[in-house]
Amino acid sequence: MQLGIDIGATKTRIGEIDEARIIKAYQEKTEKEKIASQIISLINRSDISKIKAIGIAIAGQIKDGIILSSPNIGIKNLNLYKILKEHFNIPCIIENDCNCQTMGEYIYGAGKGIKTLIGIFIGTGIGGGIIIDGRLIKGSEIGHIVIDINGAKCGCGRKGCFEAIASGIALERYAKEAGFKEGSASFIEKEARAGNKKAGDLIENLGNFIGIGTTNLINILNPDAVILGGGVIEGCSGLVEIVRQFVKKGALFPCIIKKASLGSNSGIIGSAFLAKKCLQI
């Protein structure tokens, strides 16, 4: 059995995983100021004697078990791998959260049986993972490809990044500009279903922006499929079809567009799988 841990900006989710079967899972508010001690405490809630490996998913740049930077959580240069090894002496792997989510979908979810795919996860920001011939490509920051050089400023400091144009934060900005009191994906979806044309236009425009970024990635990498997931995709049920139609018109290669199927469990399942894999090396 493996432990999968998904550290988010607001909540941290942990699960005991056996072949994608979640034995037990729970979550709590992320304690940004003492993240290492919180993870140790969460791990200790499991029977350590039964845990063969630990996988950790976290947003940010990771190298050799060191979290170089995780802006949403406020971490810089934290050697979490070393800390956990000293406490538990259990094989451990730390990976970017969207890489873990993509791997979870590839092995057990919507990407099962697909050889080459891109995972795009749209929440507050945009992240993703790339798998080519079964191999996870490290360091893919797809949220920071530029799709509009005159677009809104991104958190990374540049203008017009995919994340700045097509994320949950972008949707909130568009909704505010349109006069809505709220800008969450689920709220805008509800308004659109009630016949609000402005809300429908927001969803259409956001889908087209996601389509631009997705088409660019397809034209570069020629994947068999793109898996779309994250809170914005979950909140707006029509986005996947809008992206599918946009890609059909603009992509140079045929590509299947699918909705992610593991939901909030993709990070813990994917990180647990990567942890299991490290036992086989």
Side-chain angles (χ1 to χ4, degrees):
M1 186 164 62
Q2 296 79 45
L3 274 185
I5 303 172
D6 190 354
I7 305 171
T10 57
K11 61 187 178 184
T12 293
R13 185 165 172 77
I14 184 169
E16 296 176 1
I17 312 293
D18 185 16
E19 296 296 339
R21 189 166 62 97
I22 301 172
I23 310 299
K24 182 171 68 175
Y26 39 89
Q27 67 184 38
E28 59 181 47
K29 184 180 178 181
T30 299
E31 299 179 31
K32 297 182 181 181
E33 294 77 18
K34 46 181 179 178
I35 194 70
S37 60
Q38 181 182 26
I39 297 306
I40 290 167
S41 175
L42 283 169
I43 292 170
N44 277 324
R45 288 171 63 176
S46 296
D47 183 349
I48 301 301
S49 66
K50 295 180 180 179
I51 303 302
K52 303 301 182 186
I54 299 169
I56 294 177
I58 184 169
Q61 290 73 50
I62 319 296
K63 186 175 182 180
D64 300 326
I66 300 170
I67 304 168
L68 300 177
S69 176
S70 182
N72 290 343
I73 301 173
I75 295 174
K76 269 186 177 273
N77 299 316
L78 175 67
N79 196 335
L80 187 57
Y81 174 83
K82 181 180 178 182
I83 293 169
L84 295 181
K85 283 292 286 183
E86 288 173 351
H87 274 81
F88 299 107
N89 196 30
I90 295 172
C92 176
I93 188 166
I94 301 168
E95 186 53 85
N96 173 272
D97 60 341
C98 289
N99 281 345
C100 292
Q101 291 171 337
T102 301
M103 184 57 75
E105 293 290 342
Y106 172 72
I107 298 295
Y108 300 114
K112 190 173 182 179
I114 297 172
K115 198 173 181 182
T116 296
L117 64 81
I118 301 170
I120 302 176
F121 296 90
I122 302 170
T124 303
I126 294 180
I130 298 168
I131 295 175
I132 296 177
D133 292 332
R135 179 170 163 260
L136 179 65
I137 306 301
K138 301 292 186 76
S140 52
E141 286 286 353
I142 68 173
H144 297 287
I145 58 172
V146 173
I147 63 174
D148 180 1
I149 60 171
N150 297 312
K153 190 172 182 180
C154 182
C156 74
R158 299 192 302 165
K159 283 188 173 184
C161 286
F162 192 11
E163 180 172 299
I165 301 297
S167 65
I169 285 179
L171 178 59
E172 287 181 0
R173 186 174 69 249
Y174 301 143
K176 186 177 179 181
E177 290 168 354
F180 288 100
K181 62 181 181 180
E182 188 183 328
S184 69
S186 57
F187 175 80
I188 299 301
E189 166 92 336
K190 184 179 177 182
E191 288 292 305
R193 286 185 179 276
N196 189 316
K197 186 178 183 303
K198 279 187 180 180
D201 289 344
L202 283 180
I203 293 173
E204 185 74 27
N205 289 337
L206 186 71
N208 287 334
F209 287 140
I210 297 169
I212 292 170
T214 302
T215 300
N216 287 346
L217 290 165
I218 291 169
N219 288 344
I220 294 167
L221 295 167
N222 188 17
D224 299 315
V226 170
I227 310 298
L228 297 174
V232 171
I233 296 297
E234 293 291 334
C236 284
S237 58
L239 282 172
V240 174
E241 184 58 30
I242 295 170
V243 174
R244 188 177 286 129
Q245 293 305 317
F246 192 101
V247 166
K248 192 175 180 180
K249 295 174 185 175
L252 299 177
F253 308 101
C255 182
I256 300 167
I257 307 297
K258 300 183 75 174
K259 183 180 178 182
S261 63
L262 299 179
S264 62
N265 291 324
S266 60
I268 59 172
I269 290 173
S271 61
F273 171 79
L274 290 172
K276 179 183 177 182
K277 197 174 178 184
C278 80
L279 293 173
Q280 302 166 355
I281 295 173

